[in-house]
């Protein structure tokens, strides 16, 4: 195991990480996008992005795009390279505010978190569409890990923390259990060659209806490219 530092809340750090990784000339068979914050107070990343949207979504968007060439070179017809992005059931109640992705008009920790998780699902579906259109041997899927007992809940109200402490053993998954669907998406032969899936408890299921809106997927992708400063070559594809 080798560790390379990457701060998903920093566009500069992401670019530096990708440069370091490329310098190693290593193949890239699996990319898991799993970083995240939840219900943080209103604050910005060093690039000026609202933290939920900047870290949970834009960081992964930029990282994935910068590593796409390595993934495409590593995938083969019989063994596709795989991109797994971790979202949340919270996306079902999320709303994407294309005119205010930074939640400047009205900030809600719950709304900002749900929007970032919704954006990850839309991103995954658009990415799979583009990979298929390019004939790439890379698949992109999105995972719902369930309710997992981790430090992600440190910003919730104290009453919720108390209830969590009392009931976690009964209602929450352990981190190992929470990781099972991500691992399934990364290595299982059952999903070889299958992309654009929403996976929960190691099974394919439907995400929110709005996530299948291809025009919304396209618009979010284009806006995201502008925000992170990369070329939107995909806009020329159907």
């Amino acid at each position: 195991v080798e560790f390379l530092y990457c701060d998903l809340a920093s566009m500069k750090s992401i670019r530096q990480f990708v440069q370091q990784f490329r310098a190693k000339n290593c193949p890239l068979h699996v990319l898991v996008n799993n970083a995240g914050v939840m219900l943080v107070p209103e604050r910005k990343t060093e690039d000026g992005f609202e933290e939920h949207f900047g870290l949970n979504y834009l960081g992964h968007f930029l990282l994935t795009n910068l590593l796409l060439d390595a993934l495409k070179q590593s995938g083969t017809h019989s063994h596709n390279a795989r991109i797994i992005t971790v979202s949340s059931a919270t996306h079902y109640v999320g709303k994407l505010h294309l005119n205010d992705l930074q939640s400047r008009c009205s900030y809600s920790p719950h709304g900002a978190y749900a929007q970032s998780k919704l954006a990850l699902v839309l991103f995954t579906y658009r990415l799979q569409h583009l990979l298929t259109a390019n004939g790439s041997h890379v698949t992109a899927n999105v995972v719902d890990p369930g309710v997992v007992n981790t430090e992600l809940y440190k910003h919730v109200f104290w009453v919720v923390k108390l209830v969590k402490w009392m009931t976690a053993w009964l209602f929450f998954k352990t981190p190992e259990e929470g990781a099972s669907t991500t691992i399934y998406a990364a290595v299982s032969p059952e999903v070889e060659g299958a992309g654009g899936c929403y996976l929960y408890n190691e099974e394919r299921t439907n995400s929110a209806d709005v996530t299948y809106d291809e025009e919304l997927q396209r618009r979010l992708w284009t806006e995201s490219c502008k925000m992170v400063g990369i070329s939107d070559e995909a806009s020329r594809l159907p």
Side-chain angles (χ1 to χ4, degrees), residues 4-57:
L4 293 177
Y5 179 80
C6 181
D7 180 358
L8 269 292
S10 165
M11 302 294 114
K12 179 180 178 181
S13 178
I14 294 168
R15 292 180 183 276
Q16 289 175 338
F17 163 80
V18 172
Q19 284 183 339
Q20 290 179 309
F21 179 80
R22 284 176 174 167
K24 294 181 175 295
N25 292 315
C26 294
L28 179 57
H29 299 104
V30 177
L31 172 64
V32 177
N33 292 319
N34 188 50
V37 292
M38 183 175 77
L39 308 184
V40 296
E42 186 173 10
R43 60 194 187 198
K44 291 179 170 53
T45 67
E46 66 178 48
D47 302 287
F49 301 125
E50 185 278 313
E51 190 168 348
H52 289 99
F53 198 75
L55 194 162
N56 294 2
Y57 171 66

Side-chain angles (χ1 to χ4, degrees), residues 55-130:
L55 194 162
N56 294 2
Y57 171 66
L58 286 177
H60 291 126
F61 179 86
L62 178 61
L63 179 67
T64 302
N65 273 279
L66 294 181
L67 291 173
L68 269 182
D69 285 344
L71 287 156
K72 290 175 180 178
Q73 291 166 11
S74 303
T76 65
H77 178 71
S78 57
H79 290 90
N80 283 248
R82 303 186 187 189
I83 301 167
I84 298 95
T85 297
V86 180
S87 181
S88 161
T90 312
H91 90 273
Y92 287 105
V93 298
K95 294 186 189 303
L96 194 76
H97 301 285
L98 275 172
N99 296 323
D100 186 27
L101 291 171
Q102 303 302 322
S103 304
R104 292 190 178 101
C105 294
S106 175
Y107 181 77
S108 156
H110 294 83
Y113 177 71
Q115 177 180 246
S116 71
K117 291 299 179 179
L118 173 60
L120 288 171
V121 183
L122 290 160
F123 154 67
T124 299
Y125 293 165
R126 180 60 180 167
L127 176 59
Q128 183 58 55
H129 173 83
L130 298 172

